Amino acid sequence: MEVNKLNGAPVSASEFVKNEVAADAANAIEVAHIVKKFGDFTAVDDVSFQVKEGEIFGLLGPNGAGKSTLIRMMTTLIPITAGSARIAGHDVSKEPDAARRTIGVIPQALTSDLDLTVEENLTIYAKLYDVPTKHRKEAIEELLETVDLTKWREAQTKTLSGGMRRRLEIARGLVHSPKIFFLDEPTTGLDPVSRVAVWEMLTNIKSKRKLTVLITTHYMDEADRLCNRIAIVDHGKLVALDTPEALKASVPGSNVIEVQFDNPPADWEQKLRALLEVTSVQNESAGMFRVLTGNGSRTTTDLVGMAVEAGVPVRTLTVQNTTLDDVFVHYTGRQLRDELVKAYSFMMPPRPGMQP
Ligand SMILES: Nc1ncnc2c1ncn2[C@@H]1O[C@H](COP(=O)(O)OP(=O)(O)O)[C@@H](O)[C@H]1O
Ligand SMILES: [Mg+2]
């Protein structure tokens, strides 16, 4: 058992150790004032950032934020309206072939061929990328091992679960040993166990290869655990960029109290806001408040005292450290999970009594 240097808590070997990036690493990706318009609509609006060699860089944002459009531009799949992107030193508009040779791409939609076996899917890609025959066998062998699909090599791809298919596609994206790996929402739609398996796979791959990773996600926990730095994108704009730790520290308040009251009076939100150390209050739904504070235990005591005095029953109360969710609310004024519920609500059966 190792000891996690950051907080001294014991962690098992399978638990997460963050990727380290050399301080003097060169830039693998340089995006400058990049814009994408579809007709009159601006999907990506003047975004600039750099990713260092060896870094795991996350693009985080709700559906429609422009994450896939950014990836498509960086990977030469769609033309850039304005600005520029350099991948491993190659301008994607001027030297698309040179840029393409350095990258591996896992698009958002699953694209492996269902009628082929696992191994055939990898072999076809290796041939497409001119991986020399001698290398091909070796590379495929190693990758099957890495993504834990060796015993499924003969299986038809259509018989795999979603998580296994994702792992196959990750292996496929690496057969030509790219330097820079783009993954567009690799874990969306996977169950929690498969999501963790994909994270482990990526960390495992990172430890064996010199690889820069750009990953998009709308899962906060994923970005937090995996990424060295995170860019929060909303409505095509970059609204914040830093390490997860620095982003969390940039939000005023260090604890979040989620508390549900029974029939609080109309001025309750103001009263909560007036408590010592409270930096912001959001009324999420009837009686439900999200309170950010610099001192969780003090505010909890004061808040419960105030409720008892006013005869307002407290139904539930939780105190947590600030998370990237709070960072998202801070920079965009909205909850990421609300945005996702909106985006995916068409997929859910209507609840009784819900308006059509
Ligand atoms: N080919 C296209 N034509 C028109 N609009 C598009 C096209 N591709 C994406 N968009 C729009 O651009 C915005 C960003 O989309 P996308 O990059 O797919 O977002 P994300 O990947 O963050 O969910 C969305 O509003 C989407 O509808
Ligand atoms: Mg997308």
Side-chain angles (χ1 to χ4, degrees), residues 38 41 43 62-69 72 108:
F38 294 109
F41 177 71
N63 254 34
K67 304 181 298 293
S68 294
T69 305
R72 286 191 200 115
Q108 191 168 342

Side-chain angles (χ1 to χ4, degrees), residues 105-122 124-125 149 155-173:
V105 187
I106 310 294
Q108 191 168 342
L110 291 167
T111 53
S112 45
D113 194 318
L114 290 172
D115 290 322
L116 299 180
T117 67
V118 167
E119 189 164 359
E120 283 164 350
N121 261 302
L122 295 178
I124 284 196
Y125 244 64
L149 286 176
Q156 269 198 320
T157 303
K158 65 174 142 217
T159 64
L160 303 184
S161 70
M164 289 160 88
R165 227 180 131 193
R166 237 340 158 206
R167 273 149 45 200
L168 165 60
E169 304 205 345
I170 289 174
R172 192 185 64 178

Side-chain angles (χ1 to χ4, degrees), residues 112-183:
S112 45
D113 194 318
L114 290 172
D115 290 322
L116 299 180
T117 67
V118 167
E119 189 164 359
E120 283 164 350
N121 261 302
L122 295 178
T123 308
I124 284 196
Y125 244 64
K127 285 184 180 166
L128 269 174
Y129 275 97
D130 281 333
V131 179
T133 320
K134 206 172 67 186
H135 268 327
R136 205 187 297 155
K137 273 195 119 45
E138 233 173 87
I140 290 176
E141 214 61 50
E142 188 216 312
L143 282 166
L144 282 171
E145 197 65 38
T146 307
V147 300
D148 208 9
L149 286 176
T150 306
K151 59 173 196 267
W152 299 90
R153 64 196 307 157
E154 305 290 341
Q156 269 198 320
T157 303
K158 65 174 142 217
T159 64
L160 303 184
S161 70
M164 289 160 88
R165 227 180 131 193
R166 237 340 158 206
R167 273 149 45 200
L168 165 60
E169 304 205 345
I170 289 174
R172 192 185 64 178
L174 293 168
V175 276
H176 57 298
S177 305
K179 285 196 225 154
I180 307 172
F181 201 25
F182 292 86
L183 299 108

Side-chain angles (χ1 to χ4, degrees), residues 205-243:
I205 290 163
K206 274 283 304 168
S207 69
K208 287 194 199 147
R209 295 171 180 237
K210 277 191 85 166
L211 200 62
T212 306
V213 176
L214 187 143
I215 182 169
T216 77
T217 181
H218 58 236
Y219 293 117
M220 296 286 180
D221 56 338
E222 181 163 299
D224 202 351
R225 289 178 81 171
L226 213 55
C227 300
N228 299 108
R229 285 187 309 145
I230 293 170
I232 298 182
V233 209
D234 191 31
H235 298 308
K237 288 197 166 70
L238 198 155
V239 294
L241 194 173
D242 216 321
T243 61

